[in-house]
Amino acid sequence: DAKTTQPPSMDCAEGRAANLPCNHSTISGNEYVYWYRQIHSQGPQYIIHGLKNNETNEMASLIITEDRKSSTLILPHATLRDTAVYYCIVRPPGPGNMLTFGGGTRLMVKP
Amino acid sequence: GAVVSQHPSWVICKSGTSVKIECRSLDFQATTMFWYRQFPKQSLMLMATSNEGSKATYEQGVEKDKFLINHASLTLSTLTVTSAHPEDSSFYICSVRGQRGSSGEQFFGPGTRLTVL
């Protein structure tokens, strides 16, 4: 799997947008970009994934650059409950390919 | 997404005993299940991958005779930590994946915290 690089930590004010960057410069053409988050002492929670196009769901938006070498997860209105470690992962399709977790970004949402 | 449960949510045991952790996919046929563990302040590390009805594939450095995995059905996988020792104390998390679409989202259980005294 291609590796990803994320800042180890970020702060965000409650109610503001949280923009979490991820570099994946060695991504292959068929690899998807996934975002998960892990709130303390819980299992990871799926947020969103994409291949080339930008994606949006009820939780977040995913912006992937045209060259696919980086992406940004956007939480439009961060709340205190969004405080968690956010993981950006790239993975090829196929049922046998697992998610490999890096260090992630620890997002602290402050009042 | 899929609902995944784990039982127990936490367990404390004495050194040398065996502990079984169950992972159930409640509303999703999990053709593939993964087991991860997470030590304090570290990221998740994959231990093994199992497909229903076949033997698990273990990651390098994970002892298959110590961590027994059974994936007997599309909704149940078990991880048994045999002869547990204090260094096995960790947060164990299972994950399920099906054949839904080509991307195949992976869903995680809530985790089981094992403490070996």
Side-chain angles (χ1 to χ4, degrees), chain B residues 12-19 66 80-89 114-117:
Chain B
I12 301 172
C13 70
K14 292 182 179 179
S15 186
T17 60
S18 294
V19 175
K66 181 170 182 63
T80 301
V81 183
T82 62
S83 186
H85 291 284
E87 58 266 29
D88 298 323
S89 298
L114 170 63
T115 303
V116 185
L117 302 177

Side-chain angles (χ1 to χ4, degrees), chain A residues 34 36 38 91 94 97 99 102, chain B residues 36 38 43 97 102-104 106:
Chain A
Y34 286 81
Y36 283 77
Q38 187 179 25
R91 189 194 70 184
N97 293 310
L99 294 170
Chain B
Y36 293 80
Q38 186 176 33
S43 188
R97 190 173 176 200
S102 62
S103 57
Q106 195 170 320

Side-chain angles (χ1 to χ4, degrees), chain B residues 60-81:
Chain B
Q60 192 172 9
V62 178
E63 301 174 55
K64 62 180 182 181
D65 294 331
K66 181 170 182 63
F67 299 98
L68 303 179
I69 292 171
N70 186 304
H71 187 170
S73 75
L74 289 173
T75 59
L76 174 64
S77 175
T78 60
L79 167 69
T80 301
V81 183

Side-chain angles (χ1 to χ4, degrees), chain A residues 21-37:
Chain A
C22 179
N23 286 324
H24 30 79
S25 58
T26 59
I27 191 171
S28 299
N30 65 343
E31 288 183 314
Y32 285 77
V33 179
Y34 286 81
W35 283 84
Y36 283 77
R37 72 179 181 184

Side-chain angles (χ1 to χ4, degrees), chain A residues 61-82:
Chain A
S61 294
L62 173 60
I63 308 297
I64 302 174
T65 58
E66 194 169 338
D67 62 8
R68 302 211 323 123
K69 292 186 177 182
S70 65
S71 60
T72 302
L73 179 75
I74 301 173
L75 306 178
H77 305 286
T79 70
L80 298 179
R81 286 177 293 183
D82 292 323

Side-chain angles (χ1 to χ4, degrees), chain B residues 12-113:
Chain B
I12 301 172
C13 70
K14 292 182 179 179
S15 186
T17 60
S18 294
V19 175
K20 180 186 280 189
I21 302 170
E22 288 188 352
C23 173
R24 291 185 183 273
S25 177
L26 300 181
D27 59 351
F28 185 80
Q29 293 200 320
T31 52
T32 305
M33 284 186 167
F34 306 92
W35 285 94
Y36 293 80
R37 66 180 167 185
Q38 186 176 33
F39 294 107
K41 298 190 186 300
Q42 294 187 22
S43 188
L44 283 78
M45 292 177 57
L46 181 67
M47 298 176 66
T49 302
S50 72
N51 294 299
E52 183 257 340
S54 57
K55 289 185 178 180
T57 302
Y58 290 81
E59 294 298 300
Q60 192 172 9
V62 178
E63 301 174 55
K64 62 180 182 181
D65 294 331
K66 181 170 182 63
F67 299 98
L68 303 179
I69 292 171
N70 186 304
H71 187 170
S73 75
L74 289 173
T75 59
L76 174 64
S77 175
T78 60
L79 167 69
T80 301
V81 183
T82 62
S83 186
H85 291 284
E87 58 266 29
D88 298 323
S89 298
S90 188
F91 192 49
Y92 291 85
I93 307 168
C94 73
S95 179
V96 306
R97 190 173 176 200
Q99 297 281 1
R100 192 185 295 169
S102 62
S103 57
E105 295 93 322
Q106 195 170 320
F107 302 99
F108 290 82
T112 296
R113 187 162 300 283

